[in-house]
Amino acid sequence: MSAASGSVIRTAAELTADLERLGFPRGGLVMFHSSLRSIGTVGGGAATVVDALLAAAGPDGTLVAPTFTGQYDDPGFIFDPAETPVTTGAIPNHFFRRPEARRTVHIVQTVAAIGPLRDTIIDAGGHDGWDAQPCMRAIFDLDGWFLLLGVPYQNLTAGHFMEQEIGSHRSPRMAEGLQRLPDGRVVPLRSETWGPDPSFPGMPERSYDFNRLGEGLEQRGLVRRGAVGNAIARLFRARDLERTAREMFAADPELFFKVEGRVTPLHYGVTWTIPDGRHAGADLCVVDPAGVYQEPAK
């Protein structure tokens, strides 16, 4: 079996070395979006990837992961920050359960953080829900970075933040639900969420294309690109993302929209679409599609 087939078992030390070659900012603030299967076969799975990220960040670094919930529409759903699983993949699912992690309180759009800036990030939106903006704004204000680990710019939560900041096609709404407190009590929870404005022409069908913004970043030489295992990794500063988004939006107010229903293709690495299963249709960014981890046949 060849290395490209996914038989190579990656270790935390190897993944840390890959991140360091990429230029991962040791001691910095980094929000990451990830795909475990894009990396290939990892000994220890998601826990090993989290170990590698923490090692690359160092003791002075802070990591942030999206830990969005997917059960909020289920009857009787109660959000429990310590237990409610996430829909953003295996790596963040392990990350938020680390004892040193804290997670924001939100019905849908939670994040978790580990590191010296953990409380600054988590408390930016207050204690009665999180409206996405203060928490995300803090990453920009603190000169943070974004890491895409095996996923395209379409997965970039900050793209939605830029839509909110400089566009006019997303609108806020309040979501009401329930939260379980550490002492077991269940209390009401109100959260502000942002979605496509139904009164905006063509919405929501033509939103969204963040790959176009990402290609703009890359054309300006503002993205560090390389392989972490079999995953294509992209690393860039929040301030570069904001400046580029504002420049591109000023030149083209259609920046965030799909053109003729299609998302901008990425030119670095290989974009591979998951063919089946729960995540069928989602795109991964990889060195070699043959190196994507596949579940053993039953």
Side-chain angles (χ1 to χ4, degrees), residues 101-222:
R102 280 189 64 204
R103 190 180 186 187
T104 54
V105 177
H106 194 286
I107 296 174
V108 185
Q109 297 164 312
T110 76
V111 302
I114 294 175
L117 294 176
R118 180 196 68 180
D119 294 347
T120 299
I121 298 296
I122 298 305
D123 294 335
H127 298 284
D128 299 318
W130 172 65
D131 71 2
Q133 211 155 344
C135 187
M136 184 65 73
R137 181 74 257 169
I139 295 175
F140 285 79
D141 291 344
L142 293 167
D143 193 23
W145 297 71
F146 294 103
L147 171 68
L148 298 178
L149 184 57
V151 295
Y153 293 95
Q154 288 296 91
N155 291 55
L156 182 64
T157 305
H160 292 301
F161 176 69
M162 288 290 92
E163 286 184 300
Q164 294 168 216
E165 287 278 286
I166 63 180
S168 60
H169 57 281
R170 294 178 69 83
S171 59
R173 60 182 181 272
M174 292 304 300
E176 298 188 1
L178 298 172
Q179 174 198 355
R180 190 180 309 279
L181 299 177
D183 63 9
R185 288 181 298 137
V186 175
V187 298
L189 173 63
R190 284 168 52 87
S191 296
E192 186 178 64
T193 64
W194 287 71
D197 185 342
S199 67
F200 196 89
M203 297 299 283
E205 288 77 11
R206 63 187 185 129
S207 179
Y208 48 94
D209 180 6
F210 298 154
N211 278 3
R212 193 185 338 173
L213 172 56
E215 281 287 290
L217 276 170
E218 295 189 21
Q219 290 168 9
R220 289 164 170 78
L222 299 173

Side-chain angles (χ1 to χ4, degrees), residues 62-128:
T62 299
L63 296 178
V64 182
T67 56
F68 296 177
T69 63
Q71 311 93 318
Y72 56 93
D73 285 333
D74 295 346
F77 171 68
I78 301 173
F79 175 64
D80 185 335
E83 297 295 337
T84 299
V86 308
T87 57
T88 45
I91 298 170
N93 250 308
H94 180 85
F95 181 85
F96 92 87
R97 296 178 190 276
R98 289 279 179 116
E100 65 269 39
R102 280 189 64 204
R103 190 180 186 187
T104 54
V105 177
H106 194 286
I107 296 174
V108 185
Q109 297 164 312
T110 76
V111 302
I114 294 175
L117 294 176
R118 180 196 68 180
D119 294 347
T120 299
I121 298 296
I122 298 305
D123 294 335
H127 298 284
D128 299 318

